[in-house]
């Protein structure tokens, strides 16, 4: 099978093209560096199937970042049959810089001029035929987003891949050209493949090449000596880069005709950026945007309309859908969808319970309480997870998130945090696993380590049921606050914890330079409907798969060990306290006493400890475990509570355990900041070659969650403990200063 590789600058539309060609749903992000690893798919519209490989985005083939090394090694060593060099045609000249390097490799190359829709909208024109002649490479205009020109691109790529091509360079300067020619001949004599590419890189004294071709380096040094007096500076790399740009300006730029050539035009994007990236208002605006999102997802009083409604206002009162769309206020779309899901799962539970009415108690217990109680407790949150995810995707795809990285870089750079590190952190709101993998784009090892450690604090989709269920329980039982405000507040606590932790690490054990953060801000554009739906579909599929595999298995196990004693006797619901799970739970429960959900809860206190621990398998388990156990408590103790999804599971728990409000908040915070799920732990381990660092990372998660959760519980319960925490904070600040002074003094010696 032929293999075609997609290579191009970050954000040039490679993944969009890749998805379009192969029908995949790889993540397209409107910021550079989303694709860190290569991805493969198959294109089937040519006479034979063709493997397409999406390479990470790169600006050049130098070995400075891991993306560059991955892309370079792939093209050189794995020898694709054709390289499709995708170019953001709205930035033609800058994108062609990479092209001048790719064309030095002995591989068929075809140029895809992408984003032609945007070019045409501007009124600019590119003469593709002329460019093709001047480059000596086939050029095809496309729009990956609109799906235009793709068949033609692949048709021509298919023709191109069958013709052998020798690399050629654009370096024109006669002396340099001579040197490159000489090195090329020498390398060819040694049987080196891609001699032109290696010759140019060797002339640049590229780190990798110098190691690979030790014998030939002296040719460059000799050249440098003999031409000492000429215009050449010491820095050959800059010299060659300059030569490339000169060539591009001289030969390729004329193929582009700009409509507004001499005018400096202020685009709508520029105008929006004046406000959205404002020095002072940028961050408050972001916080407001975030709040609006939480309001639309979680609020039971949308736009605070309850003030205008009658006091006893209930939608669809007296029907099965009573209160689904509002009760007292108007429900946000997320809440209405959740309630609808609740109606559905309730009906299903009742039907199943009816079927099993005459079966043995343990069968109906296992199925109704164990399986359905657990799975339905989290399935109800799927709409809200998807909605929140949709909003984040819109922010990302529109180009706004890239601005946030820019704003935060400006604000936090002096604390050792670069904007680059925020991009994986923001990805953590979706799922920690890809976020941790994305840290490969961070060039600095210490920054990477610090970032991986705090990614779990950016609350992921799987933690959302914990947040919603517990906040819902708080509002329903204690009658305080709003669900949207509580969830928003908890998300912010996670982010603030992450920032403080990173700053502390970067000031002490992981001190290091902050790498420069250079990112072009992509132009704002309307998010793509198709793209968003694909992402949502993927997320929903993943969630449901998880619900019916890992979570199903966990709930069955939880049900089983909460219904058997250590002597393997079956226990009915009201004897759950004598079960294996209760025994183990009571054993570990003192550990959680400082956090408010330990020994002080006595009777059923262990359920919170157990729920938190099952969260290590998958964070959804926290609520499904509460759901399973709550169903048992309800049937066992015959409480007069109607069971509808995860919310009332929590209310039941609150009622039976007498857990306090601060303890519930501490419970959320603990789950948000402690060791993440197995999958994320494995990803973190994979990204940390140093196993010692990995061990410390686990310790770090446990300690952080204890500090944050106990802080919330203790200050919330005994306000004066705030002074103790304040004292500790001051001590830490002075401690860090003293530590740095000492270290600095040592460095001086
Ligand atoms: P990659 O970083 O090269 O993989 O680029 P992506 O595929 O992630 O795309 C980056 C951004 O450019 C996304 O917001 C896309 O929606 C947008 N984009 C991709 N192709 C086109 C196109 O043909 N026209 C326009 N206007 N935007 C595009
Ligand atoms: Mg990509």
């Amino acid at each position: 099978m032929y293999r075609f590789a997609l290579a191009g600058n970050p954000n040039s539309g490679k993944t969009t093209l890749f998805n379009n060609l192969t029908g995949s749903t790889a993540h397209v992000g409107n910021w550079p560096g989303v694709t860190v690893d290569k991805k493969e798919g198959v294109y089937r519209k040519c006479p034979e199937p063709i493997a397409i490989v999406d390479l990470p985005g790169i600006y050049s083939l130098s070995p400075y970042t891991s993306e560059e090394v991955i892309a370079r090694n792939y093209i050189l060593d794995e020898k694709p049959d054709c390289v499709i060099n995708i170019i953001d045609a709205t930035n033609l000249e800058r994108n062609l810089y990479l092209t001048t390097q790719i064309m030095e490799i002995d591989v068929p190359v075809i140029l895809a001029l992408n984003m032609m829709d945007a070019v045409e909208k501007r009124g600019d024109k590119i003469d593709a035929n002329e460019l093709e002649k001047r480059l000596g490479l086939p050029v095809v205009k496309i729009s990956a987003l609109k799906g235009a020109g793709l068949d033609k691109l692949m048709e021509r790529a298919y023709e191109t891949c069958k013709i052998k091509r020798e690399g050629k360079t654009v370096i024109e300067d006669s002396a340099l050209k001579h040197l490159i020619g000489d090195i090329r001949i020498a390398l060819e004599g040694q049987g080196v493949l891609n001699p032109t590419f290696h010759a140019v890189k060797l002339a640049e004294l590229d780190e990798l090449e110098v190691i690979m071709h030790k014998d030939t380096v002296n040719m460059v040094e000799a050249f440098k000596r003999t031409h000492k007096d000429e215009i050449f500076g010491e820095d050959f790399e800059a010299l060659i880069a300059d030569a490339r740009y000169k060539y591009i300006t001289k030969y390729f730029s004329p193929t582009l005709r700009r409509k507004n050539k001499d005018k400096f035009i202020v685009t709508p994007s520029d105008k929006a950026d004046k406000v959205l990236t404002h020095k002072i208002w940028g961050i408050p605006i972001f916080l407001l945007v975030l709040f609006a999102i939480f309001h639309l997802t979680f609020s039971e009083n949308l736009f605070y309309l309850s003030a205008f409604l009658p006091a006893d206002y209930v939608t669809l009162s007296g029907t099965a859908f009573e209160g689904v769309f509002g009760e007292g206020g108007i429900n946000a779309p997320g809440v209405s969808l959740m309630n609808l899901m609740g109606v559905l799962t309730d009906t299903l539970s009742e039907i199943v319970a009816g079927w099993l009415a005459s079966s043995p108690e343990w069968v109906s217990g296992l199925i109704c309480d164990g399986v359905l109680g657990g799975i339905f407790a989290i399935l109800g949150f799927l709409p809200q997870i998807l909605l929140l995810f949709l909003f984040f995707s819109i922010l990302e795809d529109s180009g706004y998130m890239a601005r946030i990285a820019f704003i935060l870089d400006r604000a936090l750079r002096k604390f050792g945090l670069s904007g680059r590190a925020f991009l994986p952190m923001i990805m953590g709101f979706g799922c920690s696993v890809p976020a941790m993998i994305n840290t490969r784009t961070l060039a600095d090892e210490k920054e990477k380590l610090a970032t991986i450690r705090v990614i779990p604090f950016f609350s992921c989709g799987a933690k959302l049921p914990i947040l919603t269920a517990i906040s819902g329980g708080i509002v329903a039982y204690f009658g305080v606050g709003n669900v949207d405000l509580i969830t928003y507040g908890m998300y912010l606590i996670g982010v603030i914890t992450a920032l403080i932790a990173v700053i502390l690490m970067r000031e002490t054990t992981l001190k290091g330079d902050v790498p420069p953060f250079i990112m072009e801000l992509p132009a704002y554009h309307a998010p793509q409907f198709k793209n968003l739906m694909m992402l949502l579909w993927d997320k929903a599929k993943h969630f449901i798969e998880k619900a019916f595999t890992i979570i199903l298995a966990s709930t069955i196990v939880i049900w089983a060990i909460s219904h058997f004693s250590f002597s393997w006797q079956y226990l009915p619901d009201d004897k759950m306290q004598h079960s294996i799970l209760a025994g183990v739970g009571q054993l570990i429960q003192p550990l959680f006493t400082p956090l408010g959900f330990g020994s002080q809860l006595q009777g059923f206190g262990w359920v919170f400890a157990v729920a938190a621990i099952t969260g290590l398998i998958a964070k959804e388990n926290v609520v499904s475990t509460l759901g399973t156990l709550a169903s048992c408590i309800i049937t066992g103790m015959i409480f007069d509570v109607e069971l509808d999804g995860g919310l009332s599971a929590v209310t039941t728990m609150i009622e039976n355990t007498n857990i306090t409000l601060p303890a519930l908040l501490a419970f959320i915070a603990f789950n948000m900041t402690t060791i993440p799920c197995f999958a994320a732990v494995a990803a973190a381990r994979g990204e940390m070659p140093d196993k010692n660092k990995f061990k410390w990372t686990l310790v770090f998660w446990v300690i952080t969650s204890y500090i944050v959760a106990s802080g919330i519980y203790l200050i919330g319960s005994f306000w004066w403990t705030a002074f103790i925490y304040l004292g500790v904070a001051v001590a830490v600040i002075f401690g860090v200063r003293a530590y740095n002074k000492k270290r600095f003094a040592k460095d001086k010696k």
Side-chain angles (χ1 to χ4, degrees):
M1 189 153 63
Y2 283 119
R3 261 177 314 121
F4 294 0
L6 298 179
N9 284 10
N11 227 24
S12 58
K14 290 177 303 303
T15 306
T16 311
L17 178 63
F18 175 80
N19 286 347
N20 224 322
L21 293 179
T22 61
S24 326
T25 51
H27 189 106
V28 177
N30 198 357
W31 68 57
V34 170
T35 316
V36 279
D37 214 348
K38 49 182 201 280
K39 282 199 205 64
E40 281 203 50
V42 180
Y43 177 76
R44 299 188 187 278
K45 287 203 220 150
C46 279
E48 57 192 302
I50 288 166
I52 309 277
V53 184
D54 184 20
L55 296 177
I58 46 172
Y59 291 109
S60 84
L61 294 175
S62 332
Y64 294 126
T65 64
S66 58
E67 292 103 311
E68 284 168 350
V69 175
I70 292 175
R72 164 170 163 163
N73 289 352
Y74 188 84
I75 302 175
L76 288 176
D77 303 337
E78 318 250 330
K79 303 185 192 67
D81 299 288
C82 181
V83 173
I84 300 180
N85 178 201
I86 176 161
I87 277 185
D88 170 1
T90 59
N91 273 309
L92 185 68
E93 286 117 322
R94 208 205 43 223
N95 276 252
L96 283 169
Y97 180 70
L98 176 67
T99 312
T100 61
Q101 299 184 46
I102 295 178
M103 61 197 264
E104 283 160 1
I105 301 177
D106 299 350
V107 66
V109 181
I110 177 167
L111 225 64
L113 291 182
N114 190 31
M115 312 223 182
M116 281 313 294
D117 57 314
V119 174
E120 275 153 24
K121 209 160 145 199
R122 266 192 212 174
D124 296 350
K125 287 211 167 62
I126 298 177
D127 186 342
N129 288 336
E130 189 56 35
L131 186 61
E132 177 162 338
K133 247 185 257 157
R134 295 185 178 203
L135 268 168
L137 302 173
V139 175
V140 180
K141 289 182 180 176
I142 65 164
S143 166
L145 196 65
K146 308 253 151 58
L150 305 191
D151 291 342
K152 175 139 178 258
L153 172 71
M154 290 308 289
E155 212 174 277
R156 289 203 68 187
Y158 185 63
E159 289 164 15
T160 310
C161 79
K162 298 189 171 158
I163 307 161
K164 270 221 157 65
R165 194 184 143 273
E166 254 187 26
K168 74 177 218 238
T169 174
V170 298
I171 310 299
E172 281 195 310
D173 173 277
S174 65
L176 264 180
K177 199 172 164 186
H178 227 92
L179 170 70
I180 292 168
D182 287 350
I183 304 176
R184 198 193 104 99
I185 292 166
L187 289 177
E188 227 173 357
Q190 297 163 22
V192 174
L193 295 175
N194 296 307
T196 310
F197 175 81
H198 288 294
V200 178
K201 285 284 164 215
L202 206 53
E204 283 180 14
L205 290 175
D206 171 295
E207 281 168 44
L208 292 184
E209 296 298 326
V210 170
I211 300 168
M212 260 171 21
H213 306 289
K214 283 206 180 73
D215 313 332
T216 327
V217 180
N218 50 25
M219 287 176 70
V220 184
E221 320 234 276
F223 179 82
K224 269 192 177 177
R225 272 195 303 276
T226 44
H227 293 266
K228 211 160 57 190
D229 307 326
E230 290 169 42
I231 38 156
F232 302 115
E234 275 297 305
D235 189 352
F236 274 37
E237 196 180 347
L239 201 69
I240 289 177
D242 188 54
R244 291 187 200 278
Y245 276 119
K246 277 200 182 118
Y247 193 91
I248 291 170
T249 327
K250 191 163 158 200
Y251 294 102
F252 302 147
S253 298
T255 62
L256 169 69
R257 276 215 323 277
R258 285 205 175 84
K259 190 177 167 204
N260 296 303
K261 207 159 103 202
D262 308 313
K263 272 187 283 177
F264 178 78
I265 34 170
V266 183
T267 61
S269 265
D270 298 334
K271 277 186 212 150
D273 272 340
K274 268 225 160 103
V275 182
L276 296 179
T277 64
H278 190 271
K279 260 205 178 98
I280 297 163
W281 298 113
I283 291 179
I285 290 175
F286 177 53
L287 290 177
L288 255 164
V289 169
L290 271 190
F291 178 71
I293 289 177
F294 279 81
H295 188 66
L296 283 172
T297 313
F298 299 110
S299 177
E300 294 181 349
N301 189 5
L302 195 62
F303 307 129
Y304 306 100
L305 289 173
S306 68
F308 306 98
L309 294 166
D312 55 351
Y313 160 82
V314 180
T315 57
L316 301 172
S317 142
T319 69
F321 296 98
E322 183 170 318
V324 164
F325 300 104
E327 211 174 320
I330 305 237
N331 286 341
V335 179
S336 299
L337 287 170
M338 179 179 80
N339 290 343
L340 276 176
M341 199 76 155
V343 173
L344 184 76
T345 50
D346 279 358
T347 319
L348 280 176
S349 300
E350 265 166 43
I351 294 174
V352 176
W355 285 343
L356 297 174
S358 55
S359 58
E361 190 193 325
W362 70 269
V363 175
S364 66
L366 170 63
I367 296 191
C368 294
D369 304 341
V371 174
L372 298 185
I375 291 196
F376 286 174
I378 56 150
L379 219 52
F381 297 105
L382 181 62
Q384 288 181 326
I385 294 178
L386 291 186
L387 203 63
L388 199 64
F389 191 69
L390 174 73
F391 285 128
F392 279 129
S393 307
I394 291 176
L395 289 194
E396 185 191 317
D397 200 25
S398 64
Y400 183 56
M401 281 298 194
R403 269 74 182 179
I404 298 308
F406 169 74
I407 294 174
L408 293 177
D409 182 81
R410 197 169 53 195
L412 295 169
R413 164 159 293 272
K414 51 183 170 299
F415 297 107
L417 261 163
S418 86
R420 189 68 203 80
F422 286 115
L423 298 176
M425 288 184 200
I426 291 168
M427 280 176 96
F429 282 134
C431 175
S432 298
V433 174
M436 286 177 175
I437 292 171
N438 191 270
T439 57
R440 286 180 203 164
T441 54
L442 301 177
D444 184 71
E445 272 304 312
K446 288 179 177 162
E447 185 178 36
K448 177 177 165 182
L449 187 60
T451 307
I452 293 178
R453 284 179 177 169
V454 302
I455 279 176
F457 305 163
F458 289 78
S459 190
C460 72
K463 290 178 186 166
L464 192 131
I466 311 176
L467 276 147
T468 324
I470 307 270
S471 336
I474 289 174
V475 175
Y477 190 81
F478 295 101
V480 293
N482 303 307
V483 179
D484 52 342
L485 261 178
I486 300 177
T487 42
Y488 179 65
M490 293 314 282
Y491 264 76
L492 285 190
I493 287 180
V495 173
I496 292 168
T497 306
L499 293 184
I500 294 176
V502 169
I503 291 172
L504 279 180
M505 281 188 273
R506 296 288 281 162
E507 286 294 317
T508 55
T509 52
L510 296 178
K511 213 175 172 74
D513 292 334
V514 190
F517 176 55
I518 311 162
M519 177 174 80
E520 32 171 327
L521 295 178
Y524 287 104
H525 68 86
Q528 271 322 98
F529 181 75
K530 196 174 126 202
N531 194 349
L532 290 176
M533 288 306 118
M534 250 162 32
L535 280 175
L536 283 192
W537 170 238
D538 245 29
K539 189 92 186 160
K541 212 169 64 185
H542 182 71
F543 185 84
I544 291 170
E545 268 170 20
K546 228 165 132 191
F548 286 96
T549 50
I550 302 180
I551 296 161
L552 176 66
S554 312
T555 49
I556 293 176
V557 171
I558 291 290
W559 183 87
I561 55 176
S562 62
H563 284 78
F564 281 94
S565 67
F566 279 106
S567 51
W568 289 111
Q569 258 193 331
Y570 173 72
L571 303 166
D573 285 339
D574 56 350
K575 295 263 170 4
M576 222 158 64
Q577 267 101 323
H578 307 292
S579 64
I580 300 177
L581 189 66
V584 177
Q586 272 152 4
L587 206 65
I588 54 168
Q589 117 184 346
L591 287 176
F592 298 96
T593 306
L595 314 186
F597 47 96
S599 306
Q600 63 267 69
L601 302 180
Q602 296 164 353
F604 277 106
W606 53 271
V607 293
F608 286 96
V610 167
I613 288 176
T614 56
L616 296 181
I617 300 167
K619 289 290 165 183
E620 290 95 336
N621 271 342
V622 176
V623 169
S624 65
T625 302
L626 286 181
T628 300
L629 296 176
S631 323
C632 301
I633 292 177
I634 291 167
T635 42
M637 305 186 103
I638 327 192
F639 268 100
D640 192 19
V641 186
E642 203 181 313
L643 184 69
D644 63 355
L647 277 186
S648 69
V650 173
T651 326
T652 313
M653 282 301 170
I654 301 175
E655 220 160 7
N656 286 287
T657 57
N658 289 321
I659 189 168
T660 63
L661 176 67
L664 283 169
L665 293 178
F667 181 70
I668 303 181
F670 177 79
N671 281 299
M672 260 172 64
T673 51
T674 197
I675 300 179
C677 67
F678 278 165
V681 170
R685 194 188 155 97
E687 295 303 319
M688 290 179 198
D690 184 345
K691 292 307 159 221
N692 213 10
K693 296 230 164 70
F694 172 70
K695 270 186 230 148
W696 279 111
T697 304
L698 293 178
V699 174
F700 165 78
W701 283 329
V702 173
I703 292 179
T704 312
S705 57
Y706 260 80
I707 294 175
V708 177
S710 67
I712 291 175
Y713 172 64
L714 288 176
I715 297 174
S717 307
F718 318 99
W719 62 270
W720 46 266
T721 49
F723 293 111
I724 300 177
Y725 279 87
L726 206 67
V728 172
V730 172
V732 167
I733 293 172
F734 279 102
V736 169
R737 283 208 171 158
Y739 174 91
N740 278 322
K741 227 181 217 161
K742 208 167 127 198
R743 201 153 94 163
F744 188 62
K746 221 179 355 188
D747 285 354
K748 245 187 188 166
K749 274 184 224 159

